Amino acid sequence: MKLFLTLFLASLTTVFGQKLHFDVMVEYTTTYENSNFDRSAYAMSSNDNYILQIINNPDGTQVAYVVDLKALKEHVFTVSESIIEKGLKNIKFTYLKTVKHKFARTPARGIYFDFISMSNNDSVETVNLNSYKNKSKTKLSNILELKIIKSEVNLFPLFRFICLHPFEYITEINYNGAGLVTNCVNKNGEKTHVLKAFREVNFELTVPN
C-alpha cells in the first residue's frame, strides 16, 4: 500500500518563513448520486494543523493551497514541475498570497458530534460518527460509519479535510486514536468515501510567518 516518492522543492517565499515538512499523501474516491470524483491532500505526520492541496486548473496550470487550520488561513502558491529522471520530480512552488477565512468554530456554529466505537480488533475499528441538531445530543441529524485501520499516527484530519465538507476546518471533530479512514458510508448509503491511495512523500515547503 505504500509507494515511496521523493519530491525536491524550490520555494520563492521569504527566507524568514516557516518550513513545513510534508510526508504523507492520501486520496479518496467519493461516490454521490451516481457520480464519482477523487480528491487528495498532503499532511505532516508530526503536526496535523497543516494540510496541502494541489489543484489542477482547467487550463492545465496548478495551484497549491497550504491550509493552516488553527489560524484559519490559506497560503496560495503557483506550481510547476518537471521530470528529472524516472520516478523523480522537481516541483517548484512560487508564493502568491495568504487568504484569511472568517467564520466561527463549533459550538458557535451549532455543530455537535461524538464518536461511538461499534467494533474493534487488532487492526481495524468500526466507528459511528454521529452528528446532532442540539447541544444535549438528543436529536440525531446524521450517522457516518467509518472503517479505520490502526497506524502509528492519526491521519483522520486528512480524511476530515478531504471528505467532510463543510466541516474541514472544525478541528474538534477528530478521532481519538491513531488511524487511517479506509471507508465511510452515511446513514442512508447515498454517499460513500473510499480510500484510493496512501503514499509516503518527502518534501519541504516554506510559508510566511
Side-chain angles (χ1 to χ4, degrees):
M1 190 174 175
K2 294 181 179 180
L3 175 63
F4 294 92
L5 176 66
T6 301
L7 304 177
F8 291 96
L9 167 70
S11 176
L12 298 183
T13 57
T14 172
V15 295
F16 300 105
Q18 180 181 3
K19 185 177 292 186
L20 305 177
H21 178 209
F22 293 93
D23 56 3
V24 293
M25 184 282 285
V26 297
E27 182 177 8
Y28 287 93
T29 298
T30 297
T31 301
Y32 181 62
E33 294 183 344
N34 299 318
S35 297
N36 297 326
F37 56 91
D38 297 334
R39 292 187 68 197
S40 62
Y42 301 81
M44 305 165 59
S45 59
S46 61
N47 186 343
D48 62 11
N49 182 54
Y50 295 96
I51 303 289
L52 167 65
Q53 276 196 309
I54 299 177
I55 305 299
N56 296 314
N57 294 322
D59 62 1
T61 61
Q62 292 181 312
V63 178
Y65 300 89
V66 178
V67 179
D68 185 331
L69 297 173
K70 292 180 181 178
L72 297 177
K73 60 184 178 182
E74 291 179 341
H75 306 290
V76 185
F77 298 78
T78 59
V79 182
S80 60
E81 63 178 61
S82 58
I83 303 298
I84 298 176
E85 57 185 72
K86 185 178 180 180
L88 188 62
K89 292 181 180 180
N90 181 75
I91 298 183
K92 182 178 180 180
F93 293 78
T94 303
Y95 175 74
L96 290 179
K97 61 182 178 179
T98 296
V99 179
K100 178 72 174 180
H101 294 285
K102 297 180 180 179
F103 59 82
R105 293 190 186 276
T106 183
R109 296 185 70 192
I111 301 167
Y112 310 101
F113 63 92
D114 56 25
F115 289 83
I116 306 296
S117 180
M118 306 304 292
S119 66
N120 197 349
N121 58 42
D122 292 340
S123 59
V124 179
E125 183 175 12
T126 300
V127 176
N128 281 358
L129 173 53
N130 297 340
S131 56
Y132 304 90
K133 298 178 181 179
N134 59 338
K135 188 176 182 179
S136 59
K137 298 181 180 180
T138 58
K139 297 180 180 180
L140 193 65
S141 61
N142 195 21
I143 301 174
L144 299 178
E145 182 185 83
L146 311 176
K147 301 289 185 182
I148 304 175
I149 59 172
K150 298 177 182 179
S151 65
E152 295 181 356
V153 297
N154 182 23
L155 297 173
F156 182 86
L158 265 175
F159 167 78
R160 182 191 64 232
F161 187 84
I162 295 172
C163 301
L164 296 188
H165 179 76
F167 308 127
E168 54 264 59
Y169 280 87
I170 309 302
T171 55
E172 294 88 345
I173 303 178
N174 198 8
Y175 175 64
N176 187 24
L180 172 64
V181 176
T182 60
N183 191 78
C184 171
V185 182
N186 69 349
K187 64 179 180 179
N188 54 21
E190 292 181 352
K191 192 172 189 178
T192 64
H193 307 283
V194 178
L195 180 68
K196 181 178 180 180
F198 168 77
R199 298 186 180 97
E200 293 185 357
V201 300
N202 179 27
F203 64 97
E204 292 182 340
L205 177 62
T206 301
V207 299
N209 290 324

